[in-house]
Amino acid sequence: MLGPPVGTVTRAGGTVVRVVTAQRRQIGIACVALYLGLVIVDFAWMWPIFTGGKLTYNEWHARMWFRSWV
């Protein structure tokens, strides 16, 4: 669990400790969500190859990222 977002904390003696702020936390969550979304979309794009589905040559070739895969 992420826990509550926390701001800057001032300790006795005037020491300021920076901890994760709500904005930084939201950016982190957005980055993780974007990454997961890209992984899911890529998995769906490659699904016909993983399952041995029928593809035309052009469809198959579009899924080959590197020339060494062909």
Side-chain angles (χ1 to χ4, degrees), residues 4-61:
V6 185
T8 304
V9 177
T10 304
R11 294 185 178 168
T15 305
V16 176
V17 179
R18 290 186 63 206
V19 292
V20 177
T21 62
Q23 181 182 13
R24 184 173 174 188
R25 188 170 175 238
Q26 289 173 346
I27 291 171
I29 291 170
C31 289
V32 168
L34 177 65
Y35 176 76
L36 276 174
L38 289 172
V39 168
I40 291 168
V41 167
D42 182 51
F43 186 79
W45 170 251
M46 292 292 191
W47 183 254
I49 292 177
F50 298 152
T51 60
K54 292 184 180 181
L55 296 171
T56 65
Y57 178 77
N58 288 334
E59 290 172 341
W60 174 78
H61 201 269

